[in-house]
């Protein structure tokens, strides 16, 4: 199974990758740390079986001389929109630590995690999108992510 992990927070990314490697050791993982790097990997038409996606992402990768651009409270939605526009049907699981999201550019645009789930459902006729609440202290997210990946793996192998 080829998995794209789009996550900019190091400890969360390491926890996700460790979980995937422990439970799906034959998987191939590719990483993106921003909206731009995710879009580049997806434009290259890499054959991903699923995407593990953070919602709050910087515009582009942080580097020695770069600060990552403007943070995007809904950066993950831009990655989803790209898939939608490209007519690519890759299962997506949004793994987020936040209960509440806001668009830093438009102070009036904010929503709860439940509202985000409802909004993402508008893509679900074309894309399979799940949302998991991540916590560094509580491990229930792990079981949910394993279930999601098992379902993807079963669909690949059937």
């Amino acid at each position: 199974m080829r998995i794209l992990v789009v996550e900019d927070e190091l400890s969360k990314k390491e926890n996700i990758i460790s979980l995937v490697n422990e439970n799906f050791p034959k998987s191939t993982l590719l990483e993106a740390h921003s909206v731009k790097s995710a879009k580049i990997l997806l434009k290259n038409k890499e054959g991903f079986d699923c995407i593990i996606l953070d919602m709050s992402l910087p515009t582009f990768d942080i580097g020695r001389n770069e600060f990552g651009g403007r943070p995007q409270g809904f950066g993950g939605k831009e990655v989803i929109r790209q898939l939608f526009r490209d007519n690519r049907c890759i299962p997506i699981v949004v793994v987020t630590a936040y209960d509440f999201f806001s668009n830093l550019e438009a102070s009036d645009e904010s929503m709860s995690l439940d509202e985000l789930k409802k909004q993402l459902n508008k893509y679900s006729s074309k894309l399979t999108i799940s949302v998991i609440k991540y916590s560094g202290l509580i491990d229930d997210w792990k079981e949910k992510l394993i279930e999601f990946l098992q379902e993807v793996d079963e669909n690949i192998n059937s």
Side-chain angles (χ1 to χ4, degrees), residues 84 89 120-129:
F84 190 77
C89 298
L120 293 178
N121 281 335
K122 72 179 180 182
Y123 297 105
S124 66
S125 63
K126 199 175 205 180
L127 299 169
T128 301
I129 303 173

Side-chain angles (χ1 to χ4, degrees), residues 48-65:
F48 295 109
D49 297 306
C50 70
I51 299 170
I52 300 172
L53 178 65
D54 188 23
M55 189 52 55
S56 301
L57 295 165
T59 306
F60 52 87
D61 289 352
I62 297 170
R64 267 190 162 137
N65 301 316

Side-chain angles (χ1 to χ4, degrees), residues 68-148:
R70 61 184 167 76
Q72 293 186 9
F74 298 108
K77 281 174 56 179
E78 183 56 36
V79 175
I80 292 169
R81 280 193 287 269
Q82 183 68 48
L83 287 169
F84 190 77
R85 283 190 295 265
D86 292 347
N87 201 29
R88 306 218 19 231
C89 298
I90 302 169
I92 301 164
V93 59
V94 174
V95 180
T96 182
Y98 297 107
D99 289 317
F100 187 79
F101 297 87
S102 63
N103 185 342
L104 299 176
E105 292 180 343
S107 59
D108 61 335
E109 185 182 353
S110 61
M111 67 179 67
S112 70
L113 183 59
D114 287 336
E115 290 169 323
L116 174 67
K117 289 178 190 179
K118 289 176 188 172
Q119 193 174 89
L120 293 178
N121 281 335
K122 72 179 180 182
Y123 297 105
S124 66
S125 63
K126 199 175 205 180
L127 299 169
T128 301
I129 303 173
S130 298
V131 179
I132 296 174
K133 174 76 167 69
Y134 173 86
S135 171
L137 303 173
I138 302 169
D139 287 345
D140 63 338
W141 68 272
K142 292 179 179 180
E143 186 176 309
K144 293 174 183 174
L145 183 55
I146 290 169
E147 287 175 17
F148 175 87

Side-chain angles (χ1 to χ4, degrees), residues 2-4 30 41-42 46-51 88 90-91:
R2 287 180 50 86
I3 303 169
L4 174 60
L30 276 80
L41 284 171
L42 292 167
E46 294 278 349
F48 295 109
D49 297 306
C50 70
I51 299 170
R88 306 218 19 231
I90 302 169

